[in-house]
Amino acid sequence: MENKKLIQLFTQKAEAVGTIVREMGSASDAIQYTAGIANKKQMNTLACPGLSSKDRDLISDLCKSEKLTFLESPLREQASFLDISLTWANYGIAETGTLMLVSNSEEIRIATMLAQIHIAMLPISKINQDTEAIEHNLDKILKNDTPSFAAFITGASRTADIERVLAIGVHGPVELHIALLKEA
Amino acid sequence: MIKTPKDMKTYKKQLHEALEDSFLRSALDKFNTVYRENRPTVYEGIDFEGIRDLIAENKDRLIPFLETLFDEFKRNAQKAGTIVHRAKDAAQANEIIARIAADNQVKSIIKSKSMTAEETFLNDHLEEKGFEVTETDLGEWIIQLKHEGPSHMVMPAIHLSRYQVGELFEKQTHSRLDKENIDKLVKVARKELRPKFLEADMGISGANFAVADSGTLGLVTNEGNMRLVTTLPKIHVALVGFDKLVPNLKTTLTILKLLPRNATGQAITSYVTWIKGTNQCLNTPNKQKIMHIVFLDNGRLSLSKDPVFSQSLRCIRCGACANVCPIYSKVGGHKYGHVYIGAIGLILTLFYHGKENDRVIVKNCLNCQACKEICPVGIDLPHLIKKTYAQILKQDGKKPVKNWVLSKVMKNRKLFHFLIRQSHLAQKPFTKGAPLIRHLPSFLEKDHGFRSLPVIAKRPLRDQWEKLHQAISNPSLKVALFAGCAIDFIYPEQGKALLTLLQNAKIQTGFPMDQTCCGLPAMMAAEEDTAKKIALQNIRAFKDEKVDYIVTLCASCASHLIHNYQKIFKEAQEDPAGLKSFTRKIIDFSSFMDKVYPLDDHKPTAAKKVAYHAPCHLCRGLKVTEQPRALIQKAGFTYIPSKDEDVCCGFGGSYSVDFPEISREILKKKLDNIEASDAELLVTDCPGCVLQLRGGLDKRQSPIKVMHLVELLSKGQI
Ligand code: SF4
Ligand code: SF4
């Protein structure tokens, strides 16, 4: 029950800032979902850094049948035509509908920053109530003596710099989708 | 290039031009209202005051140790490959950054938004050295194309309309654009700037936090450009003020609860990014980025040791002190700051950009307390603004004539009162027997004719007191009246109304004749020594009164007597006899009526519809908000809510004489709201507000009458 409430709150807060949230079973469902979105939006290219080799194979097969170009690493040179990306998220923060994403890998950063649409997979077990609840984990990552790049991501990229009118997708993704996975 | 006027004449001319800019006026007015209206929703379920006090406490604890935090940060950041620098001033910071660029054969640089880089005029320096610099935050890019500085700390291009932005973009892209469509304009920026991100050799960012115990930077953003700036080029340089140092992640997460809410009305921004060390970068030989952080002192470390001004380092640059400021909403940020904008800008300009850039703008404050109330780190902004002015006078080593006269006159009560009495005679030619002066001599009428002016009373309250006052046998309570100049010399009838109410309830009332002005005008003119001398006179005047309360009808006097007296002596490290008991006994009229006066509240409701204006120093200064409205109802009147009741009326004491044009515009909005409210009477509980509102409505020939609450209550059925 507690868990259900948390998912509800997370979903409600994420949707309030325009994030599209879908509950599904597993990573393979999320892969299907991604291909579906790519198809619907007539996108041409897809990247999915950080996924297991099994999942990558699944995607690259799907890409072939869906006429999608699967972009292999390194993404930097292909960034200007990257349409859709699928990555994992590390945690969810219910209070604000936020994802926490550790993106030490440049590929993950580029995929989540430069794609038109970013789809993130989040196991429901990783949803926490608030930032305090993940403070310890983040702190541990940052206190490592190695470089790190982590982010709280809440909705799509936005601006209100012209006449304070909200516009979505100024530099980062135009859409953020979250695939809430029952099984991790 | 920013050019802030250094003399009042130029400044006034610019203010006049700003007031004529109709887009600016309507955009900022709307923003001011919307920002305040959205606040309850934004803060739902959040204990703003509790968290604010916690942040203030945390910050105050760390500010004396910025250097220690710097050392700790440096140690931890170095472990992850970051090169940490410190720059004593703007020039040094710019040189360090230009050198990093030159050493790495950089040609093009992309930047994300940084007020600290604005502070050092970094772009100018880098461009001078031959680097190509592109701002990538949408607002910053717009003002870069326009060759202007930001007009707001969070929304740098808030002063420009979509059409103005469209024109800039058309010039830039050499194409015709749909200037009506903001979404399309935003996409132009996306398209134009994408290649810049991918080509740039170096990215420059600021930071919101420098977390010492891990050597991490925290950046709070929405557009996503900062993430690209810090990811794509092989070099990342962050320019960070010493004031951004915090001990640990916990502190930042607490600040994060208020920062986005206060800045943009969001529970959290789209991106909060944590960056540490030389992160992966696949197009360099060693697959790592080059990472530099330049910490900027530029006066911060000496500020951190200043007993009065150190609290200004608490600022987290949310921009809200501008959003709610009635003056900002009339003239915009280019006329209300130098680089830093709004209340905090009036303060920091002195320390970061020198007194010449602050000299005239620092005077443009109503002391309305709106900024202080909204500040998420609890900086006493209005107080520090006056302190800043005092500091400038001190650095100058000479005072304006006005201050010299004010000090001479006000320190001497008898002389002061003699002069006020004289002005009654001087006014005679203009009053023509009326209670208000409707027409000023023509050379004054143009600027100051927006309101009728009150007449100095023929007989001040103090001269009438003996006759009015009745001894009460077996009094239920003993109080004394602190009249203040306005009640004593302009509106003695309000004092009389109070006396009637008190005597009806068998309350014995004293009027110590040695009392004088509360001293607020001296404080507003940064005459600190005079303000202190006056305070001592008043404390002495009431010392022998055996009373339970000292009642005042003036909200400004009340808040000055209670709060500023304590501040004045605390700052002077003095504790004069009687101070504590004096300030403890002071009570404003509404609180007195609500808490102490024996009210009978089973009264029928009269038909008269009454609107209420909440005086700044009552609703924000003393946090008295519900009582006056309840009293209106209890006295049998119908309280009619009106829009923006708690926004300043534009009086601000001598402010309305120094900046009449702005005062007039603020008053206009207030009166428009009142006239739209269907009220027959307008009531407030400060004689200063009565003066402004009554004068304004009289000039408009409005049928709405203005009263002090005491007059309403003494006429009512209490
Ligand atoms: S006190 Fe009022 S007028 Fe002065 S800076 Fe603050 S908000 Fe503006
Ligand atoms: S002074 Fe306070 S309100 Fe103004 S920008 Fe700084 S934190 Fe925000």
Side-chain angles (χ1 to χ4, degrees):
Chain A
M1 185 58 204
E2 259 310 288
N3 205 5
K4 217 168 160 190
K5 264 198 194 151
L6 214 54
I7 297 170
Q8 231 174 37
L9 179 66
F10 179 82
T11 307
Q12 180 211 332
K13 292 293 179 183
E15 285 175 347
V17 290
T19 305
I20 298 152
V21 185
R22 296 280 179 272
E23 279 187 61
M24 50 192 87
S26 64
S28 58
D29 295 331
I31 290 166
Q32 293 286 351
Y33 175 75
T34 307
I37 298 283
N39 196 313
K40 196 168 109 198
K41 305 253 177 182
Q42 299 180 341
M43 310 224 119
N44 298 316
T45 61
L46 181 149
C48 60
L51 266 61
S52 71
S53 59
K54 190 178 123 257
D55 289 338
R56 286 170 54 88
D57 290 346
L58 188 60
I59 294 183
S60 85
D61 284 350
L62 252 181
C63 280
K64 274 176 212 140
S65 62
E66 300 276 350
K67 293 199 190 61
L68 267 169
T69 309
F70 182 78
L71 302 182
E72 297 278 357
S73 187
L75 292 175
R76 184 180 277 269
E77 274 67 43
Q78 311 169 80
S80 55
F81 48 84
L82 169 58
D83 290 334
I84 189 162
S85 68
L86 176 68
T87 70
W88 286 100
N90 302 70
Y91 296 102
I93 303 164
E95 202 177 66
T96 47
T98 300
L99 295 174
M100 184 182 129
L101 219 117
V102 179
S103 40
N104 295 355
S105 137
E106 177 179 296
E107 296 302 81
I108 293 186
R109 265 180 279 144
I110 289 180
T112 58
M113 292 175 194
L114 285 161
Q116 299 272 347
I117 299 180
H118 172 210
I119 301 175
M121 296 183 286
L122 177 69
I124 50 172
S125 59
K126 296 290 175 112
I127 301 179
N128 289 271
Q129 173 67 30
D130 46 27
T131 46
E132 278 83 1
I134 58 153
E135 181 189 327
H136 178 72
N137 295 322
L138 176 59
D139 206 33
K140 232 168 66 190
I141 294 168
L142 299 178
K143 280 193 180 143
N144 229 324
D145 286 342
T146 52
S148 46
F149 197 109
F152 297 160
I153 299 179
T154 315
S157 142
R158 64 189 57 222
T159 186
D161 271 355
I162 305 177
E163 291 192 17
R164 293 192 312 105
V165 174
L166 180 66
I168 301 294
V170 51
H171 292 300
V174 183
E175 283 180 24
L176 174 67
H177 297 235
I178 299 176
L180 283 181
L181 308 185
K182 294 199 181 74
E183 314 151 21
Chain B
M1 187 65 197
I2 299 173
K3 280 202 192 83
T4 301
K6 296 167 177 59
D7 65 279
M8 199 43 99
K9 204 168 150 209
T10 315
Y11 186 44
K12 289 241 176 124
K13 202 169 140 252
Q14 290 189 2
L15 290 173
H16 177 77
E17 284 161 12
L19 288 169
E20 307 256 286
D21 180 339
S22 58
F23 170 76
L24 183 78
R25 285 292 302 278
S26 79
L28 295 181
D29 254 352
K30 210 159 76 199
F31 177 38
N32 177 292
T33 308
V34 171
Y35 179 82
R36 285 179 296 108
E37 281 174 357
N38 284 346
R39 220 169 141 79
T41 325
V42 171
Y43 274 99
E44 212 183 303
I46 300 286
D47 173 16
F48 173 75
E49 271 122 36
I51 302 174
R52 173 196 66 196
D53 295 347
L54 182 67
I55 299 175
E57 223 179 275
N58 283 338
K59 281 252 173 184
D60 284 352
R61 211 174 311 129
L62 68 89
I63 284 168
F65 301 103
L66 289 178
E67 299 227 43
T68 322
L69 285 176
F70 169 77
D71 292 338
E72 189 186 350
F73 182 94
K74 186 172 173 177
R75 250 192 338 271
N76 290 316
Q78 276 172 346
K79 287 184 203 159
T82 304
I83 302 157
V84 180
H85 311 254
R86 61 185 287 170
K88 68 172 186 330
D89 55 23
Q92 206 177 50
N94 293 346
E95 273 158 31
I96 294 172
I97 295 171
R99 194 165 6 97
I100 297 170
D103 288 352
N104 289 283
Q105 291 83 46
V106 165
K107 284 196 189 69
S108 66
I109 298 173
I110 46 170
K111 270 189 73 215
S112 60
K113 191 173 168 331
S114 157
M115 280 308 294
T116 317
E118 296 285 349
E119 174 185 334
T120 67
F121 300 105
L122 178 61
N123 289 6
D124 295 343
H125 183 80
L126 293 174
E127 280 166 0
E128 241 167 62
K129 296 270 168 188
F131 302 104
E132 183 204 317
V133 187
T134 308
E135 292 285 353
T136 61
D137 170 87
L138 178 60
E140 287 285 336
W141 189 50
I142 294 168
I143 59 167
Q144 186 185 30
L145 295 177
K146 195 142 197 294
H147 307 290
E148 285 182 336
S151 76
H152 187 279
M153 298 202 292
V154 177
M155 287 162 288
I158 193 175
H159 59 291
L160 296 173
S161 71
R162 63 186 79 186
Y163 307 103
Q164 290 169 297
V165 172
E167 266 164 40
L168 288 169
F169 284 9
E170 281 187 339
K171 237 195 253 160
Q172 179 70 14
T173 57
H174 307 290
S175 59
R176 290 198 64 79
L177 300 168
D178 176 1
K179 297 196 275 272
E180 182 68 36
N181 189 322
I182 290 181
D183 239 356
K184 283 194 183 152
L185 291 176
V186 169
K187 293 296 178 297
V188 170
R190 183 180 177 103
K191 193 161 154 262
E192 283 290 305
L193 292 170
R194 258 304 153 92
K196 302 270 183 202
F197 286 115
L198 293 163
E199 288 154 16
D201 308 306
M202 179 165 136
I204 300 178
S205 76
N208 297 85
F209 312 106
V211 189
D213 71 352
S214 62
T216 307
L217 296 179
L219 296 101
V220 183
T221 63
N222 269 313
E223 294 187 359
N225 63 314
M226 178 281 297
R227 290 161 55 73
L228 295 170
V229 163
T230 57
T231 290
L232 292 173
K234 59 183 190 292
I235 311 162
H236 173 202
V237 181
L239 176 61
V240 183
F242 264 87
D243 51 320
K244 300 291 169 61
L245 282 157
V246 285
N248 48 38
L249 185 62
K250 193 176 207 67
T251 321
T252 63
L253 294 181
T254 312
I255 296 174
L256 212 49
K257 290 217 181 306
L258 301 194
L259 174 58
R261 285 189 165 86
N262 236 50
T264 49
Q266 296 169 283
I268 191 165
T269 51
S270 297
Y271 307 108
V272 178
T273 308
W274 311 96
I275 304 176
K276 172 177 179 172
T278 51
N279 274 285
Q280 192 184 48
C281 184
L282 297 177
N283 69 340
T284 60
N286 70 352
K287 307 278 181 265
Q288 278 188 322
K289 286 183 75 100
I290 297 168
M291 170 81 175
H292 291 263
I293 303 178
V294 182
F295 278 88
L296 176 68
D297 175 356
N298 204 26
R300 286 166 175 79
L301 292 175
S302 73
L303 252 188
S304 73
K305 293 178 188 81
D306 189 298
V308 178
F309 287 102
S310 63
Q311 58 167 306
S312 59
L313 292 175
R314 289 183 204 154
C315 174
I316 52 173
R317 310 277 188 265
C318 74
C321 50
N323 305 356
V324 297
C325 173
I327 301 172
Y328 174 86
S329 80
K330 296 281 176 278
V331 303
H334 286 154
K335 309 288 171 277
Y336 210 57
H338 178 58
V339 171
Y340 291 103
I341 312 277
I344 191 71
L346 302 190
I347 298 159
L348 291 181
T349 298
L350 169 65
F351 299 97
Y352 298 167
H353 295 109
K355 66 175 180 182
E356 291 311 323
N357 287 309
D358 207 6
R359 181 178 298 289
V360 291
I361 57 174
V362 75
K363 295 190 193 170
N364 196 0
C365 168
L366 278 156
N367 191 32
C368 77
Q369 311 280 315
C371 49
K372 178 179 173 182
E373 190 185 48
I374 217 87
C375 178
V377 293
I379 304 175
D380 191 351
L381 295 155
H383 181 62
L384 290 194
I385 290 171
K386 295 305 163 197
K387 283 280 184 191
T388 304
Y389 181 41
Q391 193 79 12
I392 292 174
L393 294 182
K394 207 161 120 194
Q395 286 183 16
D396 277 352
K398 62 174 197 289
K399 285 184 192 174
V401 179
K402 188 179 137 191
N403 279 47
W404 190 81
V405 174
L406 184 133
S407 156
K408 273 268 171 287
V409 171
M410 293 199 65
K411 276 181 190 161
N412 182 339
R413 180 188 70 78
K414 287 194 177 135
L415 172 64
F416 177 47
H417 286 172
F418 170 76
L419 288 174
I420 302 181
R421 287 168 200 271
Q422 289 304 55
S423 44
H424 167 69
L425 299 174
Q427 279 179 339
K428 269 202 164 156
F430 308 110
T431 60
K432 306 192 174 72
L436 285 165
I437 302 175
R438 299 214 158 87
H439 298 288
L440 291 165
S442 55
F443 70 99
L444 288 174
E445 180 70 26
K446 184 175 146 281
D447 287 341
H448 300 267
F450 64 96
R451 59 174 183 206
S452 307
L453 285 173
V455 170
I456 302 292
K458 194 168 165 204
R459 295 193 66 207
L461 185 62
R462 58 177 60 235
D463 293 3
Q464 305 179 50
W465 189 261
E466 210 174 327
K467 224 170 101 197
L468 295 169
H469 176 256
Q470 300 160 6
I472 293 180
S473 52
N474 291 327
S476 61
L477 191 76
K478 288 184 186 168
V479 304
L481 172 63
F482 183 88
C485 309
I487 300 289
D488 201 352
F489 291 93
I490 301 175
Y491 302 123
E493 66 276 14
Q494 296 173 11
K496 275 194 242 174
L498 174 67
L499 192 60
T500 312
L501 277 176
L502 296 176
Q503 290 183 344
N504 287 349
K506 288 181 136 313
I507 298 171
Q508 183 175 311
T509 314
F511 188 112
M513 288 296 156
D514 281 346
Q515 63 177 292
T516 181
C517 169
C518 67
L520 182 61
M523 188 118 159
M524 290 302 97
E527 271 306 317
E528 298 181 336
D529 185 53
T530 310
K532 198 171 92 185
K533 291 226 161 68
I534 294 172
L536 284 171
Q537 283 178 38
N538 282 323
I539 294 167
R540 226 175 289 128
F542 283 82
K543 203 158 81 17
D544 298 327
E545 296 288 317
K546 301 266 176 297
V547 294
D548 305 289
Y549 293 98
I550 302 171
V551 185
T552 172
L553 292 168
C554 176
S556 298
C557 291
S559 103
H560 183 68
L561 299 172
I562 295 173
H563 296 139
N564 290 344
Y565 274 26
Q566 290 177 22
K567 267 184 232 168
I568 289 170
F569 291 107
K570 194 173 157 215
E571 279 166 11
Q573 296 180 321
E574 291 171 26
D575 185 15
L579 168 68
K580 279 198 190 71
S581 94
F582 178 75
T583 53
R584 204 179 45 238
K585 285 179 189 165
I586 301 289
I587 189 166
D588 66 277
F589 174 68
S590 288
S591 301
F592 177 79
M593 293 304 284
D594 177 65
K595 236 172 46 189
V596 187
Y597 194 85
L599 282 176
D600 175 5
D601 51 290
H602 303 288
K603 297 290 179 191
T605 300
K608 276 239 187 290
K609 291 182 220 147
V610 178
Y612 176 67
H613 163 69
C616 299
H617 293 132
L618 194 72
C619 68
R620 283 178 289 277
L622 298 174
K623 308 256 174 267
V624 177
T625 53
E626 292 316 311
Q627 299 88 322
R629 294 170 173 93
L631 286 164
I632 291 172
Q633 307 260 34
K634 281 185 186 171
F637 294 90
T638 310
Y639 159 60
I640 299 276
S642 56
K643 206 163 166 238
D644 289 349
E645 276 176 6
D646 56 357
V647 174
C648 181
C649 65
F651 178 58
S654 62
Y655 181 87
S656 59
V657 181
D658 293 340
F659 293 94
E661 242 188 319
I662 298 174
S663 175
R664 178 189 72 203
E665 292 306 311
I666 296 173
L667 176 63
K668 179 176 177 298
K669 192 175 172 198
K670 171 112 275 179
L671 298 182
D672 288 348
N673 287 334
I674 299 291
E675 287 194 325
S677 77
D678 190 32
E680 297 158 89
L681 280 174
L682 170 59
V683 163
T684 183
D685 31 3
C686 183
C689 304
V690 170
L691 188 158
Q692 176 89 341
L693 298 167
R694 191 181 278 174
L697 283 172
D698 183 75
K699 257 282 144 90
R700 289 182 173 208
Q701 300 182 322
S702 163
I704 302 172
K705 293 274 165 280
V706 181
M707 277 187 188
H708 192 292
L709 183 62
V710 73
E711 296 171 287
L712 186 83
L713 297 192
S714 70
K715 279 197 177 48
Q717 302 162 35
I718 267 187

